[in-house]
Amino acid sequence: MQGIYEFVRGPLLWLTFIVFIGGSLYKLIPMYYLLKKKEAFVLSYMSLKYSLRSILHWIIPFASANMRQRPIMTVMSFGFHICLLVTPVFLLSHIVLWDESWNLSWWALPDWIADIMTLVVIGACVFFAFRRQILPEVKYVTSVADYAILAVTAAPFITGFLAYHQWIEYRTMLILHILSGEIMLMAIPFTRLVHMFYFWLTRAYMGSEFGGVRHARDW
Amino acid sequence: MAVPATKLKEKKEIIDVGLEEGAARLTYERIEQVINRVITAEMAARMKVYVDTCIHCGLCSTACHYYLSHGTPEWAPVGKVKQTMWEILEKKGKVSPEFIKRASIIASTECNVCRRCSMYCPYGIDIAYIMATVRRICHLLGVTPQYIQDTAHSHSATMNQMWVKEDEWIDTLQWQEGEAQADMPSLRIALDKEGADIMYSVIGPEPKFRAQLIYQAAILMTAAGVDWTMPASPGWDNSDMCMFTGDFEMMGRVKRTHFETAAKLRVKKIVMGECGHAFRSVYDVGNRWLGWKMPPIPVIHATQFYYELLKEGKIKIARKLKEPVTLHDPCNIVRGRGLHEMMRYLVNATCENFVEMYPNREQNHCCCAGGGVINCGPPWKTKRVESNSIKAEQLAATGVHICIAPCHNCHGGLEDIINTYKLNMHTMFFIDVLMKTMEIPDSLKA
Ligand code: SF4
Ligand code: SF4
Ligand code: SF4
């Protein structure tokens, strides 16, 4: 047990960072060169002003027409994304680890808030899964991979929650928690989770086209 | 000749000879070869990013009038991508002739490339571009609906959409000049006048079917005292079916001829008639294919031109239209050029009673004719009209009898909807409204 724990906390963690960062660069850099070579015009239409205008409209809840038409989905997806990004970074037990390893520490969320935020992430994943089942237009374009991504995303939060509350054997849960977190990070560059990076780029391009060329709004 | 609706309903499948015969000529090798060429040479990075980014959330569905009218998933924007591009990429081009035929039907008759869905996708994925790429593949494979292919051929043979010969064109202009001189004796349609301020260009169907629009433009130009000309040689047509079939090489030739004609005449700018798709082609798509970031000679759509004339006081409104009117926002000059506020200025300046449609401006629903869909001809008409019941509801909700629509395709599409759903409305161009409301200086009158 101790051996597995040492492994996921040590070498595997390093491997995760290497795969995550290396994979992301591997995704982004060749894409940039391909774009420059074959579709250079895309770059020439990029406009900082309109990119930011568009991104801003799409990261503010209810700022776009589509978001207003689907209030439940909007609340769910904003809740999900905010909690997904904020919770791991500001979780006290994570900060303790950073502190122990690199002497880095910052402000932490009170545990009970972090707990609720974890439940928000898990709940949203369940909601998204049901949505895939229930709405015909979503079901039609859903594949196994889409559920797998939801599972990969929810797993670190489920295991983290269970580990924190120690409902199931703590050590095992902790190992599973670390492992699932590592799997998620490694999956980002190689699955649809890559939208974490591409969101900013595709949005910026559409924003630039709509704003700079077509003089219209894109939300 | 329209095919009666009942007859079409009985038929399970719409037969289009362009698709049938095109697909019959295909082999698996040819399909794979063409697709791989397009994938590697033309759509390299953007398509990959779009396909990788799409999280299959279906949020784009309610953007699309096809989906809103039918309510089943295969009409949603992402549903159309699933049935076409995903499969093409996944199978790396190893798809059947039957698949290509179906892909051509989806891309050419089930999407108006109206770009509303990219305002609904959180990532701004350009589904119109994906559908246009599917058409491009189908074009290179020779599987395109017959009617639109026919007009594309006309472009390549005559540089205009309607097989109008050079002498017929000049004849039509002189005929309209003669007609207009009955009202304004000093009026001239100056042909090929070098150094004029403005070159006025129109779409092929204007001389062919709607010559009175040329007459009206001549009256407007004269009343406003504009220094203008129309070309006497090919290049006068600004329309573009090749953009819609995916024949980009031909699109480039047609657009180059248009710009070169203007350059030869040394005009300051090109003013285009009231057509949306032609504007898209000259301003956005064709222009860029030729390698210009922005058009080499400024191009403005008629509505902007009218707006400027009114603002500068070159034309004055004598009496406003009393009947209530509504306004249809054509995708290609609204989502495509942001002219919606100028159009509202025009409506308010010329009409007493303006009733908005909802949703409007960039959010407006397409007429379902654009993007080449109406140009796929009679076989597809019933499907097109049935696929836009949402527009019928939108129009009916205004309760008015006049709909202003500054786009030729929109006119065609809206009239079909109005007739089918018995909406008791009629469509007008802005120039029709101006002819009824504008002040004609006494010195010009006959
Ligand atoms: S471009 Fe328009 S017609 Fe085509 S899928 Fe999108 S919303 Fe529908
Ligand atoms: S809204 Fe965008 S990400 Fe969602 S299914 Fe449609 S295209 Fe894909
Ligand atoms: S025909 Fe009109 S409404 Fe339809 S796509 Fe063109 S501009 Fe849009």
Side-chain angles (χ1 to χ4, degrees):
Chain A
M1 203 59 143
Q2 189 61 21
I4 305 178
Y5 178 70
E6 292 300 333
F7 175 69
V8 294
R9 260 215 67 184
L12 197 61
L13 189 63
W14 281 109
L15 183 72
T16 302
F17 285 130
I18 293 169
V19 172
F20 171 63
I21 295 168
S24 305
L25 295 176
Y26 167 77
K27 272 283 181 172
L28 292 169
I29 295 173
M31 202 56 93
Y32 172 75
Y33 280 103
L34 192 61
L35 193 69
K36 222 173 133 174
K37 193 165 148 222
K38 307 269 175 156
E39 292 161 295
F41 69 91
V42 168
L43 300 172
S44 76
Y45 285 102
M46 283 303 216
S47 130
L48 185 65
K49 175 179 157 196
Y50 291 116
S51 297
L52 294 178
R53 183 181 83 158
S54 177
I55 289 171
L56 201 68
H57 266 96
W58 284 90
I59 57 171
I60 297 176
F62 299 104
S64 73
N66 197 6
M67 292 181 202
R68 288 191 292 272
Q69 282 173 18
R70 307 165 185 261
I72 299 174
M73 178 63 180
T74 304
V75 168
M76 281 308 213
S77 59
F78 273 95
F80 168 77
H81 283 98
I82 291 168
C83 295
L84 179 83
L85 296 172
V86 170
T87 321
V89 178
F90 295 101
L91 188 77
L92 186 58
S93 24
H94 286 179
I95 296 174
V96 170
L97 287 177
W98 288 99
D99 198 21
E100 280 173 7
S101 311
W102 287 296
N103 227 347
L104 286 171
S105 72
W106 52 85
W107 177 84
L109 283 166
D111 272 1
W112 65 274
I113 294 188
D115 225 27
I116 294 174
M117 290 171 76
T118 305
L119 288 175
V120 169
V121 173
I122 300 168
C125 285
V126 174
F127 169 79
F128 293 143
F130 267 108
R131 191 173 171 273
R132 288 205 177 282
Q133 275 299 312
I134 289 163
L135 298 184
E137 75 273 22
V138 190
K139 190 169 184 180
Y140 184 66
V141 291
T142 295
S143 59
V144 181
D146 295 309
Y147 291 110
I149 291 168
L150 279 180
V152 165
T153 312
F157 289 84
I158 297 172
T159 51
F161 186 82
L162 291 175
Y164 173 75
H165 290 278
Q166 310 206 354
W167 289 344
I168 305 174
E169 207 264 314
Y170 175 68
R171 223 26 186 188
T172 319
M173 257 318 134
L174 189 64
I175 291 173
L176 286 176
H177 172 63
I178 301 173
L179 193 64
S180 57
E182 289 168 340
I183 292 174
M184 182 180 96
L185 272 180
M186 286 194 273
I188 289 175
F190 304 103
T191 62
R192 271 171 222 308
L193 296 177
V194 75
H195 73 255
M196 173 177 152
F197 300 118
Y198 284 163
F199 164 81
W200 311 95
L201 304 177
T202 53
R203 197 71 256 169
Y205 176 58
M206 202 33 101
S208 303
E209 282 271 0
F210 265 79
V213 181
R214 301 182 187 134
H215 309 277
R217 295 175 299 182
D218 62 334
W219 54 86
Chain B
M1 267 293 288
V3 179
T6 45
K7 233 183 174 172
L8 271 174
K9 268 186 191 148
E10 285 161 22
K11 271 197 225 153
K12 279 227 165 53
E13 205 189 349
I14 300 166
I15 301 297
D16 185 309
V17 61
L19 300 175
E20 299 302 324
E21 290 186 7
R25 279 194 295 265
L26 290 178
T27 60
Y28 278 77
E29 295 73 50
R30 170 116 187 91
I31 296 173
E32 200 182 337
Q33 186 198 357
V34 163
I35 288 178
N36 284 323
R37 191 184 112 198
V38 175
I39 291 178
T40 49
E42 294 183 17
M43 60 184 220
R46 249 193 319 162
M47 190 66 78
K48 279 205 190 85
V49 171
Y50 284 149
V51 172
D52 279 358
T53 310
C54 174
I55 47 157
H56 309 172
C57 64
L59 287 175
C60 48
S61 35
T62 44
C64 185
H65 44 286
Y66 286 92
Y67 176 82
L68 292 170
S69 301
H70 291 287
T72 46
E74 61 275 18
W75 302 93
V78 64
K80 297 174 215 178
V81 180
K82 175 198 156 97
Q83 295 174 74
T84 55
M85 197 46 96
W86 288 359
E87 195 128 345
I88 288 174
L89 291 178
E90 199 180 310
K91 300 214 168 120
K92 297 201 170 56
K94 291 189 178 52
V95 293
S96 67
E98 197 50 36
F99 175 89
I100 293 293
K101 188 178 114 188
R102 178 78 194 117
S104 185
I105 292 175
I106 293 169
S108 315
T109 75
E110 296 176 12
C111 173
N112 299 95
V113 290
C114 76
R115 298 188 183 122
R116 192 169 191 257
C117 44
S118 42
M119 303 196 319
Y120 275 60
C121 170
Y123 307 93
I125 291 177
D126 194 346
I127 286 170
Y129 156 74
I130 299 177
M131 286 298 128
T133 309
V134 174
R135 292 187 191 179
R136 168 81 174 149
I137 290 171
C138 295
H139 156 72
L140 292 171
L141 289 168
V143 186
T144 302
Q146 184 73 0
Y147 272 83
I148 191 167
Q149 186 55 53
D150 192 42
T151 40
H153 284 327
S154 170
H155 277 302
S156 61
T158 65
M159 286 290 146
N160 71 71
Q161 190 190 329
M162 290 278 137
W163 297 94
V164 178
K165 305 273 167 40
E166 222 169 311
D167 56 337
E168 293 170 347
W169 162 247
I170 295 170
D171 242 27
T172 308
L173 294 184
Q174 290 182 337
W175 162 46
Q176 289 309 316
E177 182 185 68
E179 297 274 310
Q181 278 170 349
D183 296 332
M184 276 189 189
S186 61
L187 178 146
R188 291 296 316 272
I189 298 182
L191 293 182
D192 261 354
K193 178 181 170 193
E194 272 191 51
D197 286 343
I198 283 165
M199 176 177 110
Y200 184 62
S201 64
V202 296
I203 62 172
E206 286 205 19
K208 193 93 176 177
F209 306 121
R210 282 179 163 153
Q212 88 281 4
L213 288 172
I214 296 174
Y215 161 101
Q216 292 177 339
I219 297 271
L220 176 91
M221 296 282 189
T222 312
V226 177
D227 178 17
W228 69 301
T229 185
M230 290 183 89
S233 55
W236 55 264
D237 180 10
N238 51 31
S239 73
D240 195 342
M241 285 305 120
C242 301
M243 165 174 74
F244 288 145
T245 60
D247 185 352
F248 297 151
E249 289 75 12
M250 204 47 233
M251 166 182 78
R253 276 185 61 204
V254 174
K255 290 307 103 167
R256 184 179 291 117
T257 309
H258 184 238
F259 283 124
E260 276 175 358
T261 303
K264 191 185 75 190
L265 295 176
R266 296 184 288 108
V267 294
K268 295 202 185 75
K269 67 179 162 200
I270 301 171
V271 173
M272 307 181 42
E274 293 180 49
C275 177
H277 95 267
F279 186 80
R280 179 188 189 133
S281 166
V282 178
Y283 176 75
D284 188 340
V285 186
N287 168 56
R288 298 197 209 188
W289 172 266
L290 290 174
W292 281 298
K293 188 168 177 181
M294 280 293 159
I297 295 169
V299 187
I300 63 170
H301 186 266
T303 53
Q304 182 177 347
F305 181 60
Y306 307 150
Y307 168 83
E308 287 170 2
L309 291 180
L310 267 177
K311 273 261 159 173
E312 290 162 13
K314 291 200 175 131
I315 49 176
K316 297 204 170 52
I317 300 305
R319 68 211 84 81
K320 290 188 174 188
L321 272 197
K322 289 209 172 16
E323 303 95 312
V325 301
T326 189
L327 172 69
H328 166 74
D329 289 280
C331 315
N332 287 319
I333 61 167
V334 170
R335 270 191 288 289
R337 183 54 187 82
L339 296 183
H340 40 278
E341 296 309 336
M342 290 185 201
M343 294 193 325
R344 278 163 181 77
Y345 177 88
L346 281 177
V347 179
N348 287 319
T350 53
C351 303
E352 270 175 16
N353 195 343
F354 172 33
V355 184
E356 280 277 12
M357 259 186 230
Y358 293 95
N360 55 41
R361 297 179 168 83
E362 289 102 328
Q363 297 284 337
N364 193 31
H365 294 302
C366 171
C367 61
C368 208
V373 174
I374 196 170
N375 312 85
C376 291
W380 305 96
K381 182 181 165 190
T382 305
K383 179 180 178 183
R384 164 166 61 79
V385 176
E386 283 173 354
S387 298
N388 212 359
S389 56
I390 185 84
K391 188 87 221 176
E393 287 168 28
Q394 196 191 16
L395 291 169
T398 63
V400 307
H401 303 299
I402 297 175
C403 175
I404 301 175
C407 167
H408 279 270
N409 285 337
C410 300
H411 263 243
L414 293 174
E415 270 157 19
D416 289 339
I417 285 168
I418 289 166
N419 292 337
T420 309
Y421 297 94
K422 310 219 167 10
L423 298 179
N424 185 22
M425 258 189 176
H426 71 273
T427 51
M428 285 176 94
F429 287 99
F430 267 122
I431 192 118
D432 298 325
V433 178
L434 285 172
M435 286 302 121
K436 284 189 190 294
T437 56
M438 185 173 95
E439 182 184 296
I440 306 279
D442 284 336
S443 58
L444 292 171
K445 283 183 187 155

